[in-house]
Amino acid sequence: MPENNILHEIPPLMDKDFMYVADRRKAEFTYPIHCHEIFELNFVENAKGVRRVVGDCAETIGDYDLVLITSPHLEHVWEQGECTNKDIHEITVQFFFDYSYPTSIFHRAPFDTMRQMFQDAQRGLAFPMSAIMRVYPQLQNLSKVKESFYAMISLFEILYELSKCSGARPLATSSFAKVNVRSDSRRITKVKDYINEHYYDDIRLGTLAELTGMTATSFSRFFHQHTGKTLNDYIIDIKLGHAARMLVDTHHNISEICYSCGFNTLTNFNRLFKKRKGCSPTEFRENYRKTRVVF
């Protein structure tokens, strides 16, 4: 059985609280990898070289970083990495909106872009510099707002502005985050669902083309236009996401994970994993486990 030793953080919010804001200066990052039930918007500046891990995505950040996470199960951590700055500024905003119910206010037209952003952020969502600068003054002022009502309004404004910005980038793969990625195209959604259910099989282009009633050539072009990826690259990403999830959640050896996720050879699996994730499967598992703590 897998060990459940990722830190499950208990946020400092009481039943009637709306949000929690931590605005702090620090010399280093020491908090372990964790997840929590509520949403989190995390802003960091003056931390170039820090290693940010969200799910199966590990990146080195620059001078500014802003990430929204809305999944209760998505592990994340900011590690010191190669950062040498001793005056790091971090603003963490934790909150929760129940946006999934059709009767929720978030299903009203003014909230369409925010609702979509919350859905995308189940994989972790990193915002570009243009978006960060757009909300920078409000973020800097958020902890100084004394009345809870105006603090709530300020957070709404920040989230709304972010939801309108282009260039926000999902971090974790959908298969690692266990998120079903929906599409405006019913045919693309049908194909993605099929791939998620059969990723460990030898999925043929002709099978998917037939599923959508298209020729193989037309389907390949159609799929790339809607996903920005070739079919082969998309399937590999899904397989690697499932493999990364198994590396974190199980004690299966690398060979077992390789073949159960549909890779034909261990050599090919190791090569693709290192190319896409920046480390070998063994290193990925070790990196996760060395930052775990048992509580």
Side-chain angles (χ1 to χ4, degrees), residues 222-238:
F222 173 77
F223 188 85
H224 189 270
Q225 287 173 345
H226 280 77
T227 65
K229 297 179 181 180
T230 66
L231 177 62
N232 187 56
D233 283 344
Y234 181 85
I235 292 174
I236 288 173
D237 283 346
I238 292 296

Side-chain angles (χ1 to χ4, degrees), residues 54-187:
V54 178
D56 56 341
C57 176
E59 298 178 337
T60 299
I61 69 172
D63 292 317
Y64 296 90
D65 189 55
L66 181 62
V67 169
L68 175 64
I69 297 171
T70 60
S71 169
H73 309 295
L74 187 59
E75 304 92 335
H76 54 280
V77 67
W78 277 254
E79 298 175 334
Q80 195 62 22
E82 298 179 358
C83 178
T84 57
N85 196 319
K86 298 302 181 184
D87 185 26
I88 298 167
H89 186 200
E90 183 177 35
I91 301 173
T92 302
V93 186
Q94 293 185 334
F95 60 98
F96 181 71
F97 295 136
D98 194 353
Y99 68 93
S100 59
Y101 289 101
T103 55
S104 165
I105 190 175
F106 291 98
H107 280 260
R108 305 296 181 181
F111 295 92
D112 284 348
T113 56
M114 287 176 61
R115 186 177 68 254
Q116 183 60 55
M117 179 178 70
F118 293 155
Q119 291 173 348
D120 295 341
Q122 291 181 72
R123 297 167 57 189
L125 205 56
F127 294 96
M129 183 61 69
S130 58
I132 295 174
M133 290 298 102
R134 191 165 178 171
V135 300
Y136 183 86
Q138 292 155 295
L139 276 171
Q140 299 292 317
N141 191 57
L142 191 58
S143 65
K144 303 178 181 66
V145 180
K146 300 303 181 184
E147 293 189 39
S148 58
F149 177 81
Y150 293 114
M152 177 188 70
I153 295 300
S154 183
L155 177 61
F156 267 96
E157 290 177 345
I158 290 169
L159 294 172
Y160 180 64
E161 290 300 325
L162 290 174
S163 74
K164 295 193 300 178
C165 292
S166 60
R169 182 170 50 86
L171 297 174
T173 57
S174 58
S175 46
F176 184 94
K178 300 181 180 179
V179 173
N180 291 325
V181 181
R182 314 314 293 173
S183 171
D184 292 336
S185 167
R186 290 182 181 179
R187 286 187 289 189

